[in-house]
Amino acid sequence: MNSIIEKMNLFVSGADTTLKFANEIEVELDDAYPDDEFIHETVEMLAMYRPEGGDYLFTAEPIAARLKETVSYLKG
Amino acid sequence: MLARPADGVSAIERKLAEKAGLNPSTVVYNGGGAMGDGELGGITTGDSVIKGTRAGYNSEYAAMLSQSYKSDALNFGEGALGAIKDYALSAREWATEVWSDTVVPASNDIVVIANKADSLLDTVINYVSQANENYSFPNIFSIGGIVLNYLGNKEAGRKASGYGQFGAEFSRGPIKLATGVASLARAAVFHPSATANRAIGAFGSAFDTAVMADPGDVANALGGAARSGSTTFMNAAAGDPVANRIAGAGAFNALAIAVPLARAGMLGRGGAIAAESGGSSLPVVFDGEFATQQLLGTTTTPGGRQIMFHAADRMVNPPAGRVAMTPAQIDEVLDGATRVVKRSYNPMGDTLTIRNANMPGRPEVVVDAATGTRVITVIKNSKR
């Protein structure tokens, strides 16, 4: 879990907000918590992440906010 | 600029040398630009550093070595292309190595192309010409027409579509030369000033993202760049005639302004673009449909649902751990849905997440709630 949290924190900090990195987080979260609805929503948001934005897509800012919540959620 | 490590061997060089089974500290790096001094396709390198390795390898190797040894980081370039595949160096590694002061755009794989691409193109063409004569590469001939047209009439070859087509065609060939990057990379960064205009045209057709920092490049790259898949960053001042031309072309999905090179790559939504630094706003129509067509060969599913670019991108280039989807599978998910996972708020309008648990990978498709026919993204797990 630590690895995922570290990655999410990296994204939140802005150190790495690349699409590739977001995809990594997306898949790791999905694999680790396949039946968790909160996490699944995060996964979906990540699947709609595009740094440059676009219709219905999320940019780094809302994704970072969601990941911050997700980190808190996982830490309980 | 490229900072030389204490022992004179950069990380890239070290990796390459090790991969080639050579001692990094004893390799004589080709400092002259493999594309200019050597030949493509692993026939020779400028300094014959690594003769004898497999075809298709030398050029990448030598090119990388040569570019990485340039004292002027602007010369970083041509050879990095095909090597992306072999060495899987990330954009950050590249850019950090070459432009230590550069913030890498938020993209996936990045290829940096800079000077000397004129010679690159010439060399590619020369190579192809030689290959036609001396080697048996059947698919070369599928692009030969374009190449030979160029050889026969350079001016004709300079026409916009020629280069774009050339790059695209070449990228589909079996020989992954420099232009093979088109099928390997997701983005290209063209460095300012002397960036080779023709190379942009050549490569532009196949990249999802092109970053061009010199308005002159933009002008000259119009044909090829206009074919680029989705996103184009360029540095063009407001009112710049070049910018106007590009804007008029309307073929880009989006533009961003970036000075210096691609700082962060910020784009506005839907192609309404904001300047990042040093540039000015340059609104351009976001042509997601065009980009989707480029990726999928269609913009709709067989059932008539509209596939938006982001979804198309994930269908064709799924993240690691996900698997590709076809347009027909999108219909299958939506028509055979076992569950509407949820309705989500989105500033652009609510979305629906639809799952078909009966299909391998339990794929999910996110569509707009308003019509249910706009496919926004897809999630198909490779494990479930």
Side-chain angles (χ1 to χ4, degrees):
Chain A
M1 184 174 90
N2 285 341
S3 167
I4 297 177
I5 288 177
E6 283 171 15
K7 286 185 176 181
M8 287 192 285
N9 282 334
L10 264 181
F11 189 103
V12 170
S13 72
D16 192 343
T17 57
T18 60
L19 182 57
K20 185 177 181 181
F21 190 58
N23 287 338
E24 280 181 34
I25 298 172
E26 171 199 330
V27 174
E28 283 191 33
L29 278 174
D30 199 21
D31 287 348
Y33 306 95
D35 300 316
D36 187 306
E37 288 199 11
F38 183 92
I39 298 296
H40 191 71
E41 180 142 353
T42 303
V43 168
E44 279 182 22
M45 284 185 69
L46 286 164
M48 296 165 73
Y49 172 60
R50 200 145 194 106
E52 67 268 30
D55 288 353
Y56 297 96
L57 301 179
F58 295 106
T59 55
E61 191 177 348
I63 292 294
R66 177 67 186 187
L67 291 182
K68 198 173 176 181
E69 292 173 9
T70 304
V71 169
S72 300
Y73 174 83
L74 288 178
K75 284 184 174 177
Chain B
M1 294 299 164
L2 181 63
R4 300 298 307 170
D7 64 358
V9 181
S10 75
I12 290 174
E13 289 163 348
R14 191 177 303 282
K15 286 181 185 180
L16 290 168
E18 287 171 355
K19 191 174 178 69
L22 300 171
N23 181 342
S25 63
T26 60
V27 169
V28 179
Y29 296 106
N30 178 354
M35 299 303 174
D37 297 341
E39 296 173 352
L40 286 168
I43 303 166
T44 66
T45 70
D47 295 327
S48 301
V49 175
I50 49 172
K51 267 185 179 176
T53 53
R54 65 180 171 80
Y57 184 73
N58 283 4
S59 62
E60 297 170 3
Y61 180 62
M64 291 181 72
L65 296 181
S66 63
Q67 58 76 17
S68 64
Y69 221 66
K70 296 279 187 182
S71 58
D72 178 1
L74 293 183
N75 285 332
F76 182 89
E78 309 93 339
L81 309 177
I84 289 291
K85 178 183 179 185
D86 280 347
Y87 307 105
L89 293 174
S90 71
R92 282 180 184 277
E93 284 182 87
W94 282 107
T96 300
E97 179 117 6
V98 177
W99 289 298
S100 56
D101 63 344
T102 298
V103 176
V104 179
S107 302
N108 284 341
D109 303 324
I110 305 290
V111 172
V112 181
I113 301 172
N115 286 347
K116 306 290 186 186
D118 272 4
S119 63
L120 163 65
L121 189 56
D122 283 334
T123 309
V124 168
I125 289 163
N126 288 337
Y127 167 73
V128 171
S129 177
Q130 291 166 13
N132 277 339
E133 182 180 347
N134 300 320
Y135 300 92
S136 177
F137 293 144
N139 285 343
I140 284 286
F141 291 99
S142 70
I143 64 169
I146 296 166
V147 174
L148 293 177
N149 281 343
Y150 171 85
L151 290 173
N153 184 345
K154 284 197 173 186
E155 285 310 308
R158 291 179 202 277
K159 289 182 179 176
S161 62
Y163 287 111
Q165 204 172 11
F166 176 73
E169 291 295 327
F170 209 100
S171 71
R172 288 196 288 269
I175 303 169
K176 299 299 182 187
L177 300 179
T179 43
V181 69
S183 62
L184 305 175
R186 298 288 306 284
V189 178
F190 300 95
H191 204 271
S193 303
T195 302
N197 304 326
R198 288 190 291 164
I200 293 175
F203 298 130
S205 62
F207 288 119
D208 287 344
T209 302
V211 179
M212 289 173 282
D214 186 285
D217 295 340
V218 173
N220 289 295
L222 180 61
R227 293 164 178 262
S228 67
S230 61
T231 306
T232 297
F233 302 75
M234 72 173 92
N235 165 27
D240 189 306
V242 173
N244 293 336
R245 285 174 56 192
I246 294 297
F252 301 110
N253 286 348
L255 290 177
I257 315 300
V259 180
L261 173 64
R263 290 208 180 274
M266 295 298 171
L267 294 182
R269 297 182 69 86
I273 303 309
E276 169 57 17
S277 65
S280 302
S281 295
L282 183 65
V284 173
V285 175
F286 182 93
D287 194 348
E289 189 175 351
F290 176 86
T292 301
Q293 179 75 38
Q294 294 286 96
L295 278 175
L296 289 174
T298 180
T299 59
T300 59
T301 67
R305 295 170 172 110
Q306 181 189 354
I307 303 171
M308 298 175 73
F309 171 69
H310 181 73
D313 192 23
R314 285 177 61 98
M315 290 165 67
V316 175
N317 305 301
R322 306 294 190 205
V323 292
M325 289 184 74
T326 64
Q329 287 174 324
I330 298 289
D331 282 339
E332 194 178 349
V333 172
L334 297 175
D335 294 339
T338 55
R339 183 183 170 197
V340 177
V341 178
K342 67 177 184 308
R343 184 184 186 104
S344 305
Y345 168 77
N346 185 297
M348 300 283 292
D350 288 359
T351 60
L352 296 175
T353 303
I354 313 291
R355 176 184 297 166
N356 186 335
N358 293 327
M359 292 173 66
R362 286 169 50 194
E364 293 179 3
V365 174
V366 177
V367 297
D368 71 306
T371 70
T373 61
R374 303 180 76 193
V375 179
I376 298 162
T377 194
V378 299
I379 302 172
K380 187 178 182 186
N381 199 303
S382 61
K383 295 179 181 173
R384 289 194 282 271

